[in-house]
Amino acid sequence: MPKKRLGELMVDMRLATRKQVRRLLERQRSVGGLIGTLAVNEGVISEQQLKRLLAEQAGVEAVPEDFELSPELAELLPVREAKKYGVVPLKEDHRRLAIGTAEPQNVPVLDELAFVTGKEIVPYLMLEMELADALDLVYADAVKTATQPDRPNRPPPPTAQTILQAQPTVEPMFRGYTPGAESPVTRLVAAALDTGAEFIHLQDTDDNLYIRLRRAGVLEPAPFQLPTGSRALFNQLKVLAGLPTSERNKLLKGHFRLNIDGNGVSVSATFTPTDRGERTVLRLETHRTGVPSFKELAVPEKLATLLRETSEGRHGLIVLSGPPFSRKKDLAYAIMANLDGRSRAILTVEEYTTFSLDELDTLRPHPEEGITYTNAVEAALEQDPDVLFVDELTSAEVANALIGASYARILVILRLSSSGILSAILALKEVGKEPFLFASSLALVTSQRELRRLCPHCKRPYKATKAVLESLHIAATRPFTFYEAPGCKECHHTGSSGTVLIYEHLVPNAQIRQLLAGDLSIEELSRAARRAGLRSAREVGLELALSGEVSVAELLRLT
């Protein structure tokens, strides 16, 4: 059942009339502030009535009016933790610690406090001013209390399930909370990012946690383990994502953000019940402050020049294609970073942002609020942009809207998952209602792939066999030397260290535009593209394989 708003509770408990609540809401819109504070300031309710209302809303008890606070309570919790978490200790027994807090539903804070103290946390509501006075009273001798060492022989930290039982109601408002660096969730995500992973696969089998990571498109067992049971970790993930921890037999989706080493990380979590137990997949999107340059993305100079020249055009369609996990969004932002945002209105439509750019605005779809991807694209086009980046092609309607807008009005940069340039072009032609518009608006198509780089510590050369050369369609006219890496301690026995990007690009000429405006086959398009100078990813990657940058197996997997 959704939580009632404070104004509704005031009316239900007959502490205010609907007219008074409407007046308070109007006052709130004009001057800001919390409606409860405004109600007290205007004499609608008393502080004690507000306290009871907030406790009712949070589903907890309020600190009794006759509760006696004293400096002796400081022995229950060091001043450092009390100030950090904004709580005051009230009482404890061998396994529970009762605290007063102005945020009794802030489960992530209660979670961290439980791990710090090794006790189950039982929250009681206090008003903010009441809490401030209580902290001053309990920690009157703050310097002395702060220097006291933590009490020895703490019991082991409780499981996440125990913590969650103390506060079962979780609201999505906590999705923006960032757990501490020692939180199991933070440690998991940080360790995965260190390996370059984009996805984390977690499997729960009888509370055994099986971790796998997808990096550059390949799913591999994680080179680390966590000292945490799967149920405890899954519960913490659900808390952060605003999902019910008790539900294990339904498909659940949520989202939360972390701060790791100064970088914001968006985590999308999907929980699915299976015959072997619950599993979840976490998609990681790192919000970075610095936009990579063409040089940092290893964009060939010829392509970099084409991207700069094409993006200066007032209209047209730039398609950034390639398989998933190939950093196409990085290239999109590198293009937009070269544009003058003062003289050109630049908008993006994307679910999660990865970078920040001055003078760039993002329209974000919110399906739960009825704003679909199609709605967001339509709204962006109505904002009279000069440049529009669209992060995902979700429907034929979106494709046709973008093609129409790019024909004569704006520059559209579209990220599109595909196996390569030719498949991307054919996919867009297939959904386009007007082939002529598509043929005329298409300005540049790129395709990129991210390959795992061989570990420099354990890679070794070998002479290519006839079978290897045949798989690469190379004639055995001379000896060829390739490289492989069996794995070592430096690369966590994966055989790879970092990644390398390879690119294809195609500028449509008159012949290609003529083909796109009519009926064509992939064979015709392929022949025309080769005549126009298209160099395949296999050709580019072969040079890297011969130089020892990537393995033949990696080249065959992605080209």
Side-chain angles (χ1 to χ4, degrees):
M1 179 182 295
K3 182 175 66 175
K4 284 191 174 183
R5 298 178 181 274
L6 194 62
E8 295 174 345
L9 285 175
M10 290 167 61
V11 174
D12 289 348
M13 298 177 68
R14 299 185 178 181
L15 298 176
T17 65
R18 294 189 182 278
K19 183 178 180 180
Q20 288 175 313
V21 170
R22 283 196 296 270
R23 188 171 66 247
L24 289 171
L25 291 173
E26 291 172 358
R27 177 72 172 163
Q28 184 185 43
R29 283 191 289 269
S30 63
V31 302
L34 300 173
I35 189 171
T37 304
L38 293 174
V40 172
N41 291 341
E42 295 192 17
V44 177
I45 59 175
S46 67
E47 286 191 1
Q48 290 304 319
Q49 287 173 328
L50 174 61
K51 186 175 175 181
R52 289 199 299 272
L53 283 168
L54 293 174
E56 174 75 17
Q57 187 184 42
V60 300
E61 294 182 25
V63 175
E65 296 180 28
D66 58 353
F67 187 88
E68 293 185 7
L69 295 163
S70 66
E72 285 76 18
L73 292 173
E75 297 177 2
L76 304 181
L77 186 68
V79 64
R80 182 180 59 186
E81 276 70 33
K83 297 286 188 179
K84 175 181 178 181
Y85 298 109
V87 302
V88 63
L90 303 176
K91 57 183 177 180
E92 74 167 353
D93 57 26
H94 68 285
R95 66 183 184 88
R96 292 182 298 182
L97 173 64
I99 56 143
T101 172
E103 298 181 293
Q105 282 190 305
N106 199 332
V107 176
V109 167
L110 304 181
D111 191 349
E112 260 201 75
L113 188 58
F115 276 98
V116 169
T117 62
K119 289 183 176 292
E120 177 185 337
I121 303 300
V122 182
Y124 287 78
L125 182 95
M126 299 182 81
L127 298 178
E128 289 185 351
M129 290 303 297
E130 184 182 18
L131 177 63
D133 293 338
L135 285 169
D136 290 340
L137 176 60
V138 172
Y139 296 99
D141 192 1
V143 175
K144 177 181 177 180
T145 306
T147 58
Q148 291 177 350
D150 290 350
R151 289 168 290 156
N153 301 322
R154 279 182 176 166
T159 65
Q161 182 62 38
T162 304
I163 298 166
L164 295 169
Q165 286 173 350
Q167 182 61 46
T169 303
V170 181
E171 296 295 335
M173 69 175 65
F174 306 128
R175 293 178 185 174
Y177 174 75
T178 301
E182 294 305 312
S183 162
V185 173
T186 303
R187 292 167 62 186
L188 170 66
V189 173
L193 290 174
D194 283 344
T195 70
E198 303 101 350
F199 284 78
I200 304 174
H201 288 238
L202 303 171
Q203 179 74 49
D204 169 25
T205 306
D206 298 328
D207 204 35
N208 292 320
L209 184 62
Y210 181 38
I211 307 174
R212 291 178 294 172
L213 307 176
R214 189 178 294 281
R215 181 170 59 94
V218 178
L219 189 64
E220 299 172 325
F224 58 82
Q225 288 297 323
L226 291 178
T228 303
S230 58
R231 181 46 43 203
L233 181 64
F234 277 35
N235 281 343
Q236 292 184 30
L237 287 167
K238 288 179 179 178
V239 166
L240 291 171
L243 301 172
T245 61
S246 58
E247 184 57 72
R248 304 181 191 178
N249 297 313
K250 290 183 180 179
L251 177 66
L252 301 174
K253 294 183 180 181
H255 172 257
F256 59 92
R257 297 179 186 275
L258 298 174
N259 188 298
I260 297 178
D261 296 331
N263 292 318
V265 181
S266 293
V267 183
S268 300
T270 302
F271 297 84
T272 306
T274 71
D275 291 341
R276 296 175 54 197
E278 193 173 23
R279 63 173 291 156
T280 185
V281 175
L282 308 179
R283 179 175 180 174
L284 312 179
E285 291 274 358
T286 304
H287 186 89
R288 289 163 278 175
T289 54
V291 176
S293 64
F294 289 147
K295 183 177 181 180
E296 290 169 330
L297 294 173
V299 178
E301 186 55 41
K302 181 179 180 180
L303 176 56
T305 300
L306 282 171
L307 289 169
R308 292 189 187 97
E309 293 175 350
T310 307
S311 61
E312 288 299 324
R314 292 300 170 181
H315 60 86
L317 175 63
I318 299 176
V319 180
L320 309 180
S321 68
F325 323 114
S326 54
R327 300 182 67 183
K328 297 185 290 294
K329 183 182 282 192
D330 291 23
L331 181 60
Y333 269 84
I335 295 171
M336 291 186 286
N338 280 282
L339 301 177
D340 184 1
R342 295 168 299 178
S343 60
R344 303 179 77 179
I346 306 173
L347 295 179
T348 74
V349 177
E350 47 191 325
E351 190 172 358
Y352 306 118
T353 54
T354 305
F355 302 101
S356 293
L357 276 177
D358 293 338
E359 298 167 342
L360 180 151
D361 289 322
T362 295
L363 281 76
R364 206 179 309 279
H366 293 286
E368 64 279 3
E369 299 176 10
I371 304 175
T372 65
Y373 223 101
T374 302
N375 298 145
V377 170
E378 291 173 348
L381 291 174
E382 291 174 357
Q383 288 296 309
D384 186 34
D386 295 293
V387 181
L388 175 63
F389 167 58
V390 177
D391 190 38
E392 183 180 349
L393 188 62
T394 57
S395 66
E397 289 79 9
V398 170
N400 283 291
L402 295 177
I403 290 171
S406 65
Y407 174 63
R409 189 157 64 93
I410 66 174
L411 179 71
V412 173
I413 303 172
L414 173 64
R415 185 174 80 153
L416 181 64
S417 290
S418 71
S419 60
I421 284 180
L422 301 184
S423 61
I425 292 175
L426 290 174
L428 285 171
K429 176 177 168 54
E430 184 69 24
V431 299
K433 291 181 179 179
E434 300 290 343
F436 171 76
L437 288 182
F438 174 54
S440 302
S441 62
L442 189 62
L444 175 64
V445 189
T446 71
S447 180
Q448 62 195 77
R449 290 165 173 80
E450 186 175 28
L451 281 67
R452 294 174 298 172
R453 192 190 303 270
L454 285 170
C455 172
H457 301 282
C458 63
K459 72 177 180 181
R460 60 194 183 193
Y462 68 93
K463 296 297 180 181
T465 64
K466 183 179 180 180
V468 170
L469 294 177
E470 287 178 349
S471 67
L472 294 169
H473 304 292
I474 299 175
T477 56
R478 61 180 177 85
F480 285 87
T481 300
F482 293 110
Y483 294 79
E484 61 184 1
C488 63
K489 184 178 179 181
E490 294 294 331
C491 63
H492 302 292
H493 302 284
T494 63
S496 61
S497 177
T499 59
V500 58
L501 289 165
I502 59 174
Y503 297 87
E504 306 169 75
H505 71 271
L506 177 65
V507 179
N509 57 20
Q511 183 186 10
I512 292 175
R513 295 188 192 280
Q514 185 177 7
L515 287 171
L516 292 178
D519 295 328
L520 81 163
S521 66
I522 191 169
E523 291 79 13
E524 291 176 306
L525 181 60
S526 177
R527 287 193 294 268
R530 293 292 291 183
R531 288 193 292 270
L534 176 63
R535 191 171 179 227
S536 72
R538 174 71 60 85
E539 293 172 303
V540 177
L542 184 58
E543 296 177 0
L544 295 176
L546 289 170
S547 66
E549 289 288 294
V550 301
S551 68
V552 170
E554 185 74 354
L555 181 61
L556 291 173
R557 182 179 70 86
L558 279 177
T559 62

